[in-house]
Amino acid sequence: MADSPSRRALLTGLAALPVAASAAAAQRKERRSKKRKPAKPKIQHVDVAIIGAGVFGAWTAWHLLRAGKSVRLFDAYGAGNARSSSGGASRVIRMGYGADALYSEMARESLTYWKELSDTASAPIFHNSGVLWFAPQGESYTAQSLAWLQANRVGHEHGDVSWLQNKYRQIQFYQGETGILETEAGALIAARGVQEVIADAQIEVERVVMPAPLFSKRIKKHRLPDGGTADHLVYCAGPWLAELFPQQLMHKIVATRQEVYHFGAPQGDSRFAPPELPVWADFNNGRIVYGIPDLEGAGFKIAFDTHGPVIDPDTLERQLTPAGIAEARAYMTRRFPGLANAPLLGGRVCQYENSSNGDYLIDRFPGQERVWLVGGGSGHGFKNGPAVGKRVAAHILDEDLAVEPRFAFATKGTVAARTVF
């Protein structure tokens, strides 16, 4: 069990903070934040109208505008709003996906875009804290993730339980466990990240509720609620996709209730913040518990990657449950004993939008060549927003481009399956 720091040790550490902070600042890469230009004037006819200003919609708009297309972006509640799957404080970005190279490659591609955005933002979007994954030795998903990281020369460290115990004394590990630290990975600031993408794209989010596609055969364009028109429609509506298209997507895109918790470490105790603690994920017996260290004063974040009950994102009362808080405390007592009595600073009730097979949906609306449905983040979509947006833009720029079979509408069944966060 990790020792709690003594009062003398805490005071000594506090006294050294100015020197330590100066040294850390000297090592950090100099920020190149730039002033974002204002949104370009709205025009009535555009190449593409995007419905949904979450991470998928924002990055789709960004890529299309970079390719010279005209775009309008709509959202009923605003960019990165509290009811969206892209809202909230933070998300994990990692590249280890077992043997699933498709998502590993998308995460690696996305990381480049997130870093560039973060480097030019007024406040950081990406925090390179590293991501620690630990599991029982011999567990196949972990071994496959390590093999991919090694084969693709992605920065990482790995070791047995002794390595874990020596490196992270604030965590209680069990005999026989093994770990991987992805050194190039970390955490993303969620709602602010989405808003920064939109600002960098120089586009305004229009607050309007969009109906299902309205195609005018006379003018051969899609009509928008204010009388404008678009050649293409892209619905990046997340948990609202099934509501908009119930005949096609009911039970194929399912929104489930999730809880996350933020706890406060004792004053002066830096063990639960970077650089002493990375993002972490505990994968045992097929169950994932994960967390994010104290970033930007938000506290130590913990969540359980299990699907909750099906919900309506519009009407859900977003209050934490006593049972969920108790489960988080019990877990911390076992794994992070230094936080056993930590106060609850707050939390968030959010949602996953689960596709039936855990894969994203990136495909045309059946029977309409210029209407696209994009969603099914399934709890792991935020990190890959840049890569998803790039794929969607590529399909609009080249209408003959084949759809990835795993993302196709036809592969979505009727029973929600598990995926890995």
Side-chain angles (χ1 to χ4, degrees):
M1 183 176 292
D3 295 330
S4 298
S6 67
R7 182 172 177 80
R8 177 175 294 179
L10 289 177
L11 291 173
T12 302
L14 288 170
L17 277 178
V19 175
S22 298
Q27 293 176 356
R28 284 197 297 267
K29 184 172 66 174
E30 184 178 351
R31 297 187 58 75
R32 305 185 307 278
S33 60
K34 66 180 182 182
K35 183 178 180 181
R36 305 294 186 205
K37 296 180 181 178
K40 295 177 180 177
K42 183 176 71 176
I43 56 178
Q44 283 299 95
H45 176 74
V46 289
D47 297 313
V48 187
I50 300 172
I51 300 88
V55 73
F56 287 175
W59 277 108
T60 298
W62 190 95
H63 283 292
L64 285 168
L65 288 161
R66 287 294 188 277
K69 293 294 183 180
S70 56
V71 178
R72 289 178 71 181
L73 180 60
F74 299 92
D75 197 286
Y77 298 115
N81 67 82
R83 283 187 263 202
S84 71
S85 296
S86 296
S90 53
R91 297 292 189 279
V92 178
I93 182 163
R94 63 188 176 88
M95 286 161 278
Y97 266 91
D100 200 344
L102 174 62
Y103 284 109
S104 293
E105 294 290 354
M106 289 179 75
R108 181 163 61 170
E109 179 181 36
S110 293
L111 182 58
T112 299
Y113 285 99
W114 283 121
K115 283 181 175 179
E116 290 176 355
L117 181 76
S118 185
D119 286 346
T120 60
S122 57
I125 305 301
F126 171 65
H127 288 268
N128 185 200
S129 63
V131 175
L132 175 68
W133 176 278
F134 50 96
Q137 192 166 11
E139 193 277 318
S140 60
Y141 188 96
T142 305
Q144 291 164 347
S145 294
L146 177 60
W148 187 90
L149 294 170
Q150 292 172 331
N152 289 275
R153 299 182 179 180
V154 174
H156 69 280
E157 302 172 15
H158 67 97
D160 59 13
V161 70
S162 296
W163 174 79
L164 287 167
Q165 289 171 336
N166 289 332
K167 195 171 183 68
Y168 302 107
R169 296 182 180 274
Q170 69 275 62
I171 306 177
Q172 179 67 50
F173 296 103
Y174 304 142
Q175 287 302 312
E177 288 188 318
T178 185
I180 304 170
L181 175 69
E182 291 191 37
T183 57
E184 298 176 20
L188 298 166
I189 302 302
R192 189 171 78 222
V194 172
Q195 292 158 4
E196 196 71 39
V197 176
I198 292 168
D200 194 51
Q202 295 175 246
I203 190 170
E204 179 183 357
V205 178
E206 301 177 52
R207 297 284 292 271
V208 63
V209 178
M210 289 289 294
L214 296 173
F215 184 72
S216 172
K217 293 182 179 179
R218 183 177 61 83
I219 61 174
K220 296 184 179 180
K221 299 182 188 304
H222 296 283
R223 288 198 180 278
L224 304 176
D226 66 349
T229 55
D231 291 328
H232 298 79
L233 297 180
V234 180
Y235 283 84
C236 298
W240 290 275
L241 273 175
E243 179 183 319
L244 283 164
F245 306 102
Q247 289 186 319
Q248 294 81 13
L249 292 175
M250 190 63 69
H251 306 303
K252 296 183 180 182
I253 299 289
V254 179
T256 60
R257 184 185 187 281
Q258 313 299 140
E259 293 189 6
V260 300
Y261 316 93
H262 293 260
F263 291 90
Q267 189 178 85
D269 188 347
S270 62
R271 295 175 298 161
F272 305 101
E276 294 186 47
L277 183 68
V279 173
W280 56 273
D282 174 1
F283 189 51
N284 272 274
N285 300 316
R287 181 179 190 243
I288 301 177
V289 185
Y290 69 96
I292 293 178
D294 186 354
L295 295 177
E296 303 186 1
F300 174 91
K301 177 180 174 180
I302 178 173
F304 298 88
D305 186 45
T306 53
H307 289 179
V310 175
I311 56 91
D312 178 340
D314 284 308
T315 61
L316 174 65
E317 292 280 353
R318 297 173 186 262
Q319 298 170 331
L320 298 175
T321 60
I325 296 169
E327 184 181 21
R329 285 194 181 281
Y331 179 86
M332 290 192 306
T333 299
R334 294 192 304 272
R335 284 290 197 179
F336 295 87
L339 294 175
N341 299 312
L344 178 69
L345 301 182
R348 183 168 182 262
V349 177
C350 53
Q351 71 267 330
Y352 286 167
E353 94 242 7
N354 309 291
S355 72
S356 55
N357 61 357
D359 284 324
Y360 306 147
L361 170 63
I362 307 174
D363 201 356
R364 295 173 181 86
F365 183 88
Q368 298 203 39
E369 287 297 307
R370 293 192 170 188
V371 178
W372 285 81
L373 305 181
V374 182
S378 297
H380 67 133
F382 192 93
K383 68 175 74 65
N384 286 333
V388 169
K390 188 174 182 179
R391 278 177 179 263
V392 179
H395 283 296
I396 290 171
L397 295 169
D398 180 0
E399 295 185 12
D400 295 326
L401 186 65
V403 170
E404 162 60 46
R406 289 176 59 181
F407 301 157
F409 186 90
T411 65
K412 302 300 177 277
T414 59
V415 179
R418 281 294 297 123
T419 186
V420 176
F421 85 110

